[in-house]
Amino acid sequence: MKILAQEIRDVVIIRDSKYGGHFGPNLGIVETTIALHYVFESPKDKFVFDVSHQTYPHKMLTGRKIAILGLGTFYHLAEKVADLYKEKTGIDITVVNSMYITGIDTDLMEDLRMNHGIIVTLEDGILNGGFGEKIASYFGNSSITVLNYGLKKEFIDRYNIKEVLKDNRLDEDLILEDLLEY
């Protein structure tokens, strides 16, 4: 336990030194978090922390807490976001190439349910009635947070595609900003 605790502390110090953050709460709860994971079955058993600044060791121990489902051409955006998140936090994100909008792979969804707390959908179509809504509906009564990114249902005449994507938060930096909130 001492070696694991020191490794977690080293990552927290390096990360917070580079990007800023709250050293104290994360460093002060390392052994407690390790003990909780030893005694209880995460993610089946849920943990409640006093403040979100204490959750980084938990996120490190649970690993791939976030999954991004990239539909069609947005799979590459999902990979970019995952790389940026890893660079910024040291935590990997699961990236899934959702090649088909019709139907839901329920086996995959159940696997994601067991190991993830946040599911992100990226789609190149309209959000209303789209792929993201199907995923959100699937996880509707669970504790999983679903963040859907796509286009608003509106007519756009003569547009700059980069501006449209940015207005709909379909930009790697904006998605990363949102994920860092969780």
Side-chain angles (χ1 to χ4, degrees):
M1 181 162 111
K2 286 183 180 182
I3 294 170
L4 178 59
Q6 189 56 53
E7 288 174 357
I8 291 173
R9 280 197 179 83
D10 291 345
V11 170
V12 168
I13 290 168
I14 290 167
R15 177 193 165 273
D16 287 355
S17 297
K18 189 172 182 180
Y19 297 108
H22 300 276
F23 285 92
N26 283 311
L27 295 177
I29 198 158
V30 172
E31 282 84 3
T32 303
T33 304
I34 293 170
L36 285 169
H37 282 273
Y38 180 77
V39 173
F40 297 100
E41 292 181 47
S42 176
K44 187 180 119 194
D45 296 321
K46 303 294 180 197
F47 305 143
V48 178
F49 293 91
D50 186 35
V51 293
S52 65
H53 305 307
Q54 296 174 332
T55 62
Y56 195 67
H58 170 68
K59 290 177 182 178
M60 290 176 68
L61 290 171
T62 57
R64 298 176 176 246
K65 184 175 176 54
I66 299 172
I68 302 178
L69 300 126
L71 183 63
T73 59
F74 282 99
Y75 173 73
H76 299 293
L77 176 60
E79 287 184 319
K80 287 179 186 176
V81 171
D83 290 343
L84 286 172
Y85 191 84
K86 168 79 173 185
E87 179 185 309
K88 192 125 178 137
T89 67
I91 299 172
D92 286 318
I93 288 180
T94 302
V95 178
V96 177
N97 187 351
S98 301
M99 298 179 353
Y100 307 105
I101 194 167
T102 56
I104 292 179
D105 182 344
T106 55
D107 290 338
L108 173 64
M109 294 302 114
E110 287 307 310
D111 285 346
L112 294 176
R113 181 190 307 270
M114 292 304 300
N115 300 311
H116 297 79
I118 300 170
I119 307 291
V120 177
T121 66
L122 305 178
E123 60 185 294
D124 53 3
I126 302 297
L127 281 172
N128 298 30
F131 174 71
E133 267 193 13
K134 290 179 184 178
I135 301 301
S137 177
Y138 184 86
F139 290 113
N141 291 331
S142 72
S143 62
I144 293 175
T145 300
V146 178
L147 303 174
N148 295 328
Y149 293 85
L151 300 175
K152 296 175 207 148
K153 189 174 184 175
E154 63 184 355
F155 175 76
I156 304 171
D157 187 28
R158 295 186 185 108
Y159 59 89
N160 176 317
I161 188 67
K162 288 184 180 183
E163 287 179 22
V164 171
L165 294 175
K166 202 166 214 151
D167 288 346
N168 288 277
R169 298 195 69 76
L170 283 163
D171 173 86
E172 60 196 57
D173 293 322
L174 295 174
I175 296 168
L176 176 65
E177 182 181 297
D178 292 344
L179 291 178
L180 292 172
E181 295 286 319
Y182 286 92

